[in-house]
Every structure is written in structure tokens, then in C-alpha cells.
């Protein structure tokens, strides 16, 4: 699909990988709606790229539906959905004091990362199906964001790995489900990236993490994620695929 002129939705677009993706799509000519819980920052990003900002809790239909409606009112029906929003967590199954890990912490991560991604996708797909097909019968493209933790989760990452593994497992059946409507589905699984969250760590820790990446021995750049996300949209034969973007990194147990 040619990105130029089409409306795009980017969740988590106020920072990190989501912000980089929103900026890249806008650079390529898309009309971008920046969806995020942080409306103030989303508004700043949207203003800089000529887009629109919408407050959105991706795991809440009552929040997501109005956000998509507002984006459609501003830009017309979207043909691109970038599911980038997500949260992290690290809790051992048995805590230092011998107590079991809190169940609500696990549920929250799975709800935001997995249920939230599915929620946005089902709402986007329902809006995309009635659209007139483009060349080759294509109506839309959606992208999920997983993580290398879906494959090599570390100690304490049960919730995060489960949520991202769920996204990986959802990719192919979602692509098969929506193939009849000409909607493609792919997932990117990034490794260690220089996001604002990562940059809060001490420089020595960042350097150590970067050195664990075989090549290039540095943290990934958010714009590299964004470039690959945009390529998924542009490459009409990419469908049902999970692509690792990690410099050949395989995470150690801890």
C-alpha cells in the first residue's frame, strides 16, 4: 500500500517507538492520529507532524471507539493501524518475602498489551472492511508490536512475555481471518531499543545492554523500528509474519 495520503492510527504515539512510527508515517505522507493516554504529549507530537491527538485507553472499548471516531472525522477512514502502545513489568512468581506475586499485576500487563491490541484491531477491522479496495484488493494493514521477550523472556517477565507471546500467537490467525477482506496483519518483535524508558537507566547499564547485542553492538534506534513498520505497510506481500528486529540478540535468563 502506498502510504501517501492515507489515514493512519498509531497507538502509544506520544513517545518511544510509537512516536517514531507516527513521525515516519507523517513524513511519508500519511494523515496520522496519535492515540495515547498522555494527551498532552500526544498533542505536542501531533502538532509537530500535522496530525491529530486522541486520548485513548486501548484496553477499554468505551475509550477506544470515540478515539477512532474522532480520528475518522478529522482524517477520513483509516487504512493503517500501528499497535505500539504497551507496558512492561518484572515480578518474580515468588517474592523476596516468600509471598506469591500479585495476580492483579499480571492481569494488568496482559490486559493492556494483549487485550488492548486485540481491542484496537477488532474495532479498526470493522471500520476497514466496508472501504473500497485499493489496487490488488487491499483494504488495510495492521501491525502488532511484540518483543523478543515473547521468545526469550527473562526472570520475572512472565506477564510481559505472556502478553507479547499472545500477540505473536494471534498474528497468523488474525491474518487468515482478515484475508478475505484484503487486510494484512504483521508483527514486529523489537529487542533492546533506545526509548525514553531505556534512557532512564544509568549509562553504564545501557552500555552493558548494548554490548550484549551481537551486531550492531548498540541499542536499536526508534527510527529503525519505524522504518520497518512503514515497510510492512508498503510491501504488499508481507502478511501473517512476525519479524524480529534485534541485531541477532538472544536474551540471557537474567
Amino acid at each position: 500500500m502506498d502510504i501517501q495520503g492515507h489515514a493512519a492510527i498509531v497507538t502509544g504515539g506520544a513517545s518511544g517507538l510509537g512516536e517514531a512510527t507516527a513521525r515516519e508515517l507523517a513524513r511519508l505522507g500519511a494523515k496520522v492520529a496519535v492515540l495515547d493516554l498522555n494527551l498532552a504529549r500526544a498533542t505536542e507530537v501531533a502538532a509537530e507532524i500535522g496530525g491529530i491527538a486522541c486520548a485513548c485507553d486501548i484496553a477499554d472499548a468505551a475509550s477506544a471507539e470515540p478515539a477512532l471516531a474522532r480520528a475518522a472525522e478529522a482524517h477520513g477512514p483509516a487504512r493503517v493501524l500501528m499497535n505500539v502502545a504497551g507496558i512492561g513489568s518484572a515480578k518474580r512468581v515468588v517474592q523476596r518475602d516468600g509471598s506469591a506475586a500479585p495476580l492483579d499485576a499480571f492481569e494488568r500487563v496482559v490486559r493492556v498489551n494483549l487485550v488492548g491490541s486485540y481491542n484496537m484491531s477488532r474495532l479498526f477491522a470493522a471500520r476497514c472492511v466496508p472501504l473500497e479496495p485499493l489496487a490488488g484488493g487491499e483494504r488495510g494493514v495492521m501491525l502488532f508490536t511484540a518483543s523478543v521477550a515473547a521468545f526469550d523472556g527473562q526472570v520475572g517477565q512472565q506477564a510481559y512475555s505472556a502478553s507479547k507471546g499472545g500477540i505473536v500467537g494471534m498474528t497468523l490467525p488474525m491474518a487468515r481471518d482478515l484475508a478475505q477482506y484484503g487486510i494484512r496483519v504483521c508483527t514486529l518483535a523489537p529487542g533492546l531499543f533506545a526509548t525514553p524508558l531505556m534512557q532512564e537507566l544509568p549509562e553504564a547499564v545501557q552500555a552493558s545492554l548494548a554490548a550484549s547485542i551481537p551486531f550492531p553492538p548498540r541499542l536499536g534506534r526508534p527510527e529503525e523500528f519505524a522504518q520497518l513498520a512503514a515497510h510492512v505497510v508498503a510491501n504488499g506481500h508481507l502478511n501473517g509474519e512476525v519479524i524480529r528486529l534485534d541485531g541477532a540478540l538472544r536474551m540471557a535468563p537474567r
Side-chain angles (χ1 to χ4, degrees), residues 195-206:
T195 61
L197 185 62
M198 176 70 75
Q199 291 168 343
E200 289 179 4
L201 297 175
E203 288 189 11
V205 175
Q206 293 185 51

Side-chain angles (χ1 to χ4, degrees), residues 12-239:
S15 65
L17 302 181
E19 179 182 346
T21 301
R23 292 183 182 280
E24 178 66 6
L25 292 177
R27 186 186 72 80
L28 294 171
K31 297 174 288 186
V32 181
V34 181
L35 274 59
D36 206 286
L37 281 173
N38 186 344
L39 182 58
R41 178 56 187 153
T43 300
E44 292 177 7
V45 174
E48 292 172 6
I49 65 175
I52 183 174
C54 304
C56 182
D57 177 351
I58 62 171
D60 181 4
S63 174
E65 288 176 339
L68 290 175
R70 182 161 185 263
E73 183 179 359
H75 293 157
R79 291 188 184 267
V80 176
L81 171 65
M82 297 289 182
N83 280 302
V84 190
I87 60 174
S89 174
K91 289 188 180 297
R92 289 176 179 260
V93 179
V94 178
Q95 305 292 282
R96 290 185 183 277
D97 62 2
S99 64
L103 183 59
D104 59 349
F106 185 96
E107 290 176 331
R108 179 171 179 267
V109 173
V110 172
R111 178 164 179 76
V112 173
N113 293 355
L114 180 56
V115 177
S117 294
Y118 178 79
N119 182 43
M120 296 304 300
S121 299
R122 72 184 183 91
L123 296 174
F124 167 80
R127 287 175 169 271
C128 207
V129 165
L131 301 180
E132 285 297 315
L134 303 172
E138 189 168 35
R139 284 187 171 86
V141 181
M142 67 171 70
L143 185 88
F144 293 119
T145 304
S147 165
V148 295
F151 311 101
D152 356 297
Q154 296 184 297
V155 167
Q157 284 190 331
Q158 288 84 1
Y160 187 68
S161 293
S163 68
K164 295 302 187 177
I167 288 173
V168 168
M170 185 165 62
T171 303
L172 182 58
M174 183 80 80
R176 288 172 165 174
D177 193 323
L178 297 176
Q180 61 185 311
Y181 304 113
I183 300 173
R184 293 188 290 112
V185 183
C186 282
T187 291
L188 300 188
L192 299 174
F193 272 71
T195 61
L197 185 62
M198 176 70 75
Q199 291 168 343
E200 289 179 4
L201 297 175
E203 288 189 11
V205 175
Q206 293 185 51
S208 175
L209 291 171
S212 70
I213 301 172
F215 188 83
R218 60 167 173 79
L219 298 175
R221 301 181 181 117
E223 57 267 29
E224 292 172 321
F225 176 94
Q227 289 160 5
L228 183 54
H231 179 74
V232 169
V233 177
N235 190 324
H237 206 58
L238 271 173
N239 195 16

